[in-house]
Amino acid sequence: MSASTLNRVFLASIFLLYLLVNVRSALQEDAIIQASSTESADTVKEEDCGCSSLNREKLVDRNGEADVDHGEGESEETSGPSKSLDDDHGTEEDPALKYRAEANENTKLWNEMVHIEGGMFTMGIDEPIIPLDGESPSRRVNVDSFYADVYETSNAEFMRFVEATGYQTDAEKFGDSFVVETVISEEVKKDITQAVAAAPWWLPVKGANWRHPEGPDSNITKRMDHPVVHMSWADANEYCKWAGKRLPTEAEWEYATRGGLENRLFPWGNNMLPNSKHRMNIWQGKFPTTNTGEDGFIGTCPVNNYKPNGFGLYNTVGNVWEWTSDRWTIHHLKKFLNNPTGPETGDKRVKKGGSFMCHKSYCYRYRCAARSQNTEDSSAYNLGMRCVADRLPEGVPEVKRPSQ
């Protein structure tokens, strides 16, 4: 065999080896993704935490609460949260007074934004984990560049809005909002006679609103750096407009949340606990009766807790649900979309990201592709927001995107 022939054989062998290594690597990566998705699909029940069913017109008498499963071996005495909320209970005439009295030039602002360069990404998934939510099919989507809030809207920022405008939230106008039973004091609970039909652990609490998250005997004086809650879509929309911003489209939200990664369950990858560390605020324990607080929180956490994603955004999954501007639909086509904005009509809006109340057995929606909905006037203990803008509003600090 000639030298030239040997060289050709050698080069061909090197090329084939290169192909085999790359194909094997690609197959292994696909296997990881598929295994993760398959494991999720096999273990997730077709159940719901109930936060998409919060409707003031669909309540039942609480006499049926005995039907709630408290778990084997659990008594009524142990059905509450295993850690207390880091908050003062006890009424204040106006809990905001303490914040105003302590406010000064050094007060931390939580309205920073980061510029997100537009681009193409894969939205949704082909093998839905919760099919009824319309998570599939995957489709290639392009979004233009925009600015996004680094943090979820905090109590401190919403306080600025209310002080400037006198705005009243929907929860304040209705006089009540929905709170999960385990965090409501016994004093308040004894006067509650109704519950949500589809999820009896959700109770309508008179006096619950953004100032009083667990009910009238709770306040936010120690939670000014936590996300504002009990936000309806209308509330979120009004706040964003006042701030010179807007609510994100669902596509913008998912693009920003993925932080530059493709086809991953979470903003950081497929492993829920990378290096055995918590990366988001969700429910641990037995839902809906016992939250062990293994991630450090049984309610909301500060808006700057945990590590940010690749675009520098904090808490895009877990903590609180975040409203989008899109109206709800579960029907999607597998075709390229440019800056999609959702249906033109509909009485429900898309919310994304899950919340501190999400648990895999009931609400495995703390994933990038996961989604849910509520009516525009719905408000609840785990409903918040994050704003975006086409250009940086005047006076809003811009932070640099972290190096990849």
Side-chain angles (χ1 to χ4, degrees):
M1 186 178 293
S2 66
S4 60
T5 302
L6 285 173
N7 284 335
R8 285 197 296 270
V9 171
F10 176 74
L11 291 173
S13 300
I14 293 296
F15 180 69
L16 286 173
L17 181 62
Y18 171 81
L19 286 178
L20 286 172
V21 168
N22 280 274
V23 168
R24 181 180 179 184
S25 177
L27 289 173
Q28 286 177 334
E29 184 173 343
D30 287 344
I32 290 172
I33 296 172
Q34 292 297 329
S36 179
S37 299
T38 302
E39 184 270 338
S40 301
D42 288 343
T43 57
V44 174
K45 299 177 183 179
E46 286 295 332
E47 296 191 68
D48 190 358
C49 68
C51 64
S52 61
S53 305
L54 303 182
N55 189 315
R56 292 179 176 89
E57 298 176 358
K58 295 182 179 179
L59 301 174
V60 295
D61 193 285
R62 281 193 71 211
N63 289 334
E65 68 179 354
D67 295 332
V68 178
D69 178 15
H70 288 285
E72 293 182 10
E74 291 183 358
S75 66
E76 291 294 327
E77 288 74 17
T78 61
S79 63
S82 59
K83 293 187 179 183
S84 61
L85 290 165
D86 182 17
D87 189 26
D88 288 328
H89 280 269
T91 57
E92 290 184 22
E93 190 169 323
D94 183 356
L97 290 175
K98 180 178 179 182
Y99 168 70
R100 284 203 294 269
E102 295 176 349
N104 55 58
E105 292 181 358
N106 296 319
T107 298
K108 168 68 178 175
L109 293 178
W110 299 100
N111 63 345
E112 294 101 322
M113 303 191 84
V114 64
H115 183 258
I116 295 180
E117 191 70 29
M120 296 269 293
F121 79 109
T122 301
M123 183 174 179
I125 51 178
D126 284 323
E127 295 186 8
I129 293 172
I130 305 180
L132 294 178
D133 283 352
E135 297 177 354
S136 64
S138 68
R139 55 267 188 207
R140 294 295 287 171
V141 171
N142 178 72
V143 295
D144 292 339
S145 300
F146 60 99
Y147 287 87
D149 280 351
V150 172
Y151 311 107
E152 293 166 323
T153 303
S154 68
N155 284 313
E157 288 303 306
F158 195 75
M159 178 78 73
R160 292 176 59 223
F161 165 56
V162 171
E163 289 181 346
T165 64
Y167 182 81
Q168 270 200 321
T169 63
D170 278 334
E172 290 170 300
K173 293 173 186 175
F174 281 113
D176 63 24
S177 191
F178 293 100
V179 183
V180 67
E181 180 180 4
T182 55
V183 300
I184 305 170
S185 70
E186 292 302 320
E187 185 67 21
V188 170
K189 201 184 301 182
K190 70 181 183 181
D191 294 325
I192 301 175
T193 61
Q194 293 180 305
V196 175
W201 46 86
W202 279 105
L203 307 181
V205 179
K206 293 187 183 302
N209 54 55
W210 73 277
R211 298 179 190 267
H212 306 285
E214 291 81 42
D217 59 352
S218 66
N219 62 66
I220 57 171
T221 55
K222 292 184 179 180
R223 285 183 273 180
M224 299 310 294
D225 60 346
H226 285 228
V228 66
V229 294
H230 293 289
M231 292 289 103
S232 71
W233 184 90
D235 298 333
N237 191 48
E238 287 301 312
Y239 168 80
C240 288
K241 287 193 298 183
W242 171 82
K245 306 174 184 180
R246 60 178 174 82
L247 287 171
T249 65
E250 183 178 5
E252 288 173 330
W253 186 96
E254 191 167 326
Y255 179 72
T257 292
R258 291 185 180 278
L261 298 181
E262 281 279 309
N263 301 313
R264 293 297 183 268
L265 291 173
F266 311 114
W268 54 86
N270 287 322
N271 186 353
M272 193 174 81
L273 293 170
N275 300 317
S276 300
K277 293 186 181 298
H278 289 282
R279 292 291 300 269
M280 57 185 161
N281 179 18
I282 58 175
W283 187 291
Q284 290 94 35
K286 184 175 179 60
F287 188 86
T289 57
T290 305
N291 188 350
T292 62
E294 291 174 15
D295 55 19
F297 304 93
I298 60 168
T300 57
C301 71
V303 294
N304 65 336
N305 210 69
Y306 305 109
K307 287 184 176 181
N309 73 356
F311 289 163
L313 307 185
Y314 288 78
N315 291 297
T316 54
V317 291
N319 216 22
V320 294
W321 282 102
E322 299 177 12
W323 286 107
T324 74
S325 60
D326 285 29
R327 290 182 170 85
W328 176 254
T329 182
I330 59 172
H331 304 293
H332 310 287
L333 297 177
K334 193 176 179 67
K335 67 175 185 177
F336 169 76
L337 297 170
N338 185 50
N339 295 308
T341 57
E344 294 184 1
T345 59
D347 61 350
K348 296 176 181 178
R349 299 279 181 165
V350 177
K351 60 181 183 179
K352 297 281 282 186
S355 79
F356 65 90
M357 284 188 56
C358 284
H359 187 278
K360 192 170 184 178
S361 66
Y362 266 80
C363 188
Y364 189 30
R365 293 181 173 89
Y366 41 89
R367 296 171 287 107
C368 298
R371 56 204 302 273
S372 189
Q373 51 74 31
N374 280 112
T375 57
E376 292 185 4
D377 62 355
S378 295
S379 61
Y381 182 50
N382 62 348
L383 259 176
M385 59 176 150
R386 182 191 307 263
C387 308
V388 301
D390 297 317
R391 57 187 60 85
L392 191 69
E394 184 177 353
V396 173
E398 179 181 359
V399 300
K400 289 186 177 181
R401 172 176 159 179
S403 57
Q404 299 272 343

